[in-house]
Amino acid sequence: MSQYPPDANISAGSAPQVAASAAWHSLFWLVFANAVGVLIAILLLFPALNRLLGEWTYGRWIMVHLNLELYGWTSLPMAGFLFKVYGADRGPLAQWCRPVLWVWSTALGVGAYSWLSGHSSGKLFLDWSGYARILFPLAMIALWLLLAVSFVREWKTAANTTVAARAAKLLGLALLLIVPIVIYIASSPNFYPAINPDTGGPTGASQLESSLIIVAILLMLPFGLTRPKAGRFRTIPIAWAIMAAEFLLCFALGRADISHHRPAQFLSLGSLLIWAPLTPVYYAAFQWHANTRRWRIAFLAWWSALVLTGWVFFLPGVLDHFKFTDGLVGHSLLAMAGFTSSLLIFVLVQLLGEGGWIFNRTRSFYGWNIAVLAYVVLMSVAGWREGFDPTFTIVPGVARNAVYILRLVVGLVMLASSLDWLIDATTLLREPAPVSSSAPVAQEVTA
């Protein structure tokens, strides 16, 4: 573990301290959600244990697991990112970042208790109901207000800010304000039914559209974190032009429910494969802190795997076989625990700078990534078998139990890795490392 000199301590109103707080809150919910995931894996192996939990059985814990992973782990790092983009982590406003994070975490805690108590809208990832449905949007509005005040302060004081940068931030504020309103409305059971028989399955157009939104986020992220390298700027407009062309292709496909067996659907979705080699080239055009190297490679590798497998799983015959099986569960975990988590850690490491050592321990880095890979392989095998025999995961058997036991072991490894990060983040919160603008080569931290 790195040791910092006594004078390396940074006040609570500094950018590194704000980034460390965002990392701590993010990791707390990751550990909590992973622990719930381990509990769920145990309940799948031993369903009789549900009787010991009273009303807090599998059906309620699964909502807690999914929602805390989404609104806790995958959302709070982006709050740290927004603090930096809007300058809220610097100057007098920085002291308000930590209270906003606590308001967000409090809303998540209230939501978790609400779901365990049986209150839910019945909609996946929109389970907010009752008082939790009001409190969580208010937490999002608290974050928005801090960003808005910081934006106004910068508008008045930062004379060197470009018109384009101001316009982009103003547009960002407008979009961010819509999010809590949409969540509040969409969570209402009266807005649209939790189960809608009139909707069809995924189409090439819908999959391409959602994937391009992710591509757009990947292209925008570097501008809030760092600067382009000198002489490498040409790659950036080329990538944006390709994305614009793909959006035009998406609109040309139409919005109707169309079978994925049609060549236009799966061939158009195959256009995303260009992003497997292009995204690493794009990110190489920017300056990154040396501490990000491991996780930059990890998230780009998971991204390439996600793009390739996402297209293969959509192909006629393959999707028909894997649909409604554990195979798609494994692919979802590849997307969330593999690509998304690696991307979020990459962002946090860039924000933390020298403090990013907390994510670079050899045991936790390889433990997490190997466990995710093992989980994806296990669920893909189970899903392939389930495609031939739907009772495979319903009726306990030697093969099925072996897969679920290995999944439990993998879940424990992921929990241990995330707990390792949380412990180190707690240390960093007490004694954060300074962030060097020159991005020196960081010494690798090993177990």
Side-chain angles (χ1 to χ4, degrees), residues 15 25 49 134 191:
H25 282 264
L49 293 177
I134 298 174
F191 183 66

Side-chain angles (χ1 to χ4, degrees), residues 26-309:
S26 305
L27 291 169
F28 173 84
W29 291 114
L30 176 63
V31 170
F32 192 99
N34 285 350
V36 173
V38 169
L39 172 62
I40 290 171
I42 294 174
L43 292 177
L44 286 174
L45 268 172
F46 308 104
L49 293 177
N50 280 280
R51 299 192 187 97
L52 302 178
L53 299 178
E55 296 180 345
W56 289 17
T57 54
Y58 175 93
R60 297 188 181 181
W61 281 112
I62 191 67
M63 288 190 295
V64 175
H65 172 68
L66 294 175
N67 287 311
L68 293 185
E69 293 284 9
L70 177 63
Y71 294 108
W73 164 235
T74 64
S75 298
L76 285 168
M78 300 314 295
F81 170 78
L82 292 172
F83 288 150
K84 175 177 172 55
V85 170
Y86 285 90
D89 61 346
R90 301 181 293 276
L93 288 179
Q95 62 183 325
W96 291 100
C97 292
R98 295 179 73 178
V100 166
L101 291 171
W102 277 109
V103 169
W104 190 294
S105 286
T106 300
L108 290 180
V110 171
Y113 180 75
S114 172
W115 301 319
L116 287 173
S117 300
H119 303 291
S120 172
S121 67
K123 302 177 185 180
L124 188 64
F125 294 117
L126 288 171
D127 296 286
W128 305 98
S129 64
Y131 46 84
R133 179 171 167 240
I134 298 174
L135 183 56
F136 185 66
L138 287 178
M140 302 182 79
I141 291 174
L143 170 64
W144 185 88
L145 287 173
L146 179 59
L147 299 178
V149 172
S150 182
F151 173 77
V152 172
R153 183 193 64 176
E154 183 185 71
W155 186 289
K156 294 180 178 179
T157 60
N160 59 342
T161 304
T162 65
V163 175
R166 288 181 175 179
K169 290 182 180 181
L170 186 59
L171 176 61
L173 281 176
L175 294 175
L176 288 171
L177 183 58
I178 296 173
V179 176
I181 299 173
V182 169
I183 287 180
Y184 179 82
I185 295 174
S187 297
S188 170
N190 300 321
F191 183 66
Y192 64 89
I195 299 176
N196 188 354
D198 296 327
T199 57
T203 64
S206 64
Q207 296 291 85
L208 182 60
E209 181 181 272
S210 59
S211 298
L212 285 176
I213 293 174
I214 298 174
V215 171
I217 294 173
L218 286 175
L219 295 186
M220 289 187 292
L221 268 179
F223 291 100
L225 293 170
T226 185
R227 299 183 299 274
K229 290 180 180 177
R232 301 290 296 275
F233 187 76
R234 185 180 304 175
T235 306
I236 299 174
I238 292 175
W240 281 92
I242 293 174
M243 187 196 70
E246 291 219 65
F247 265 114
L248 292 176
L249 172 63
C250 181
F251 294 141
L253 292 174
R255 302 293 304 159
D257 290 335
I258 303 172
S259 171
H260 67 285
H261 285 263
R262 293 193 179 185
Q265 295 293 308
F266 60 80
L267 290 177
S268 61
L269 188 61
S271 65
L272 289 171
L273 294 174
I274 192 175
W275 294 103
L278 183 56
T279 308
V281 174
Y282 181 83
Y283 270 71
F286 292 87
Q287 303 175 38
W288 301 110
H289 193 282
N291 273 349
T292 64
R293 184 176 182 275
R294 273 187 167 180
W295 288 102
R296 192 164 71 251
I297 293 173
F299 102 73
L300 290 171
W302 286 117
W303 167 244
S304 297
L306 181 64
V307 170
L308 178 60
T309 57

Side-chain angles (χ1 to χ4, degrees), residues 336-347:
M336 298 304 296
F339 163 65
T340 303
S341 293
S342 297
L343 175 63
L344 293 173
I345 294 175
F346 162 74
V347 170

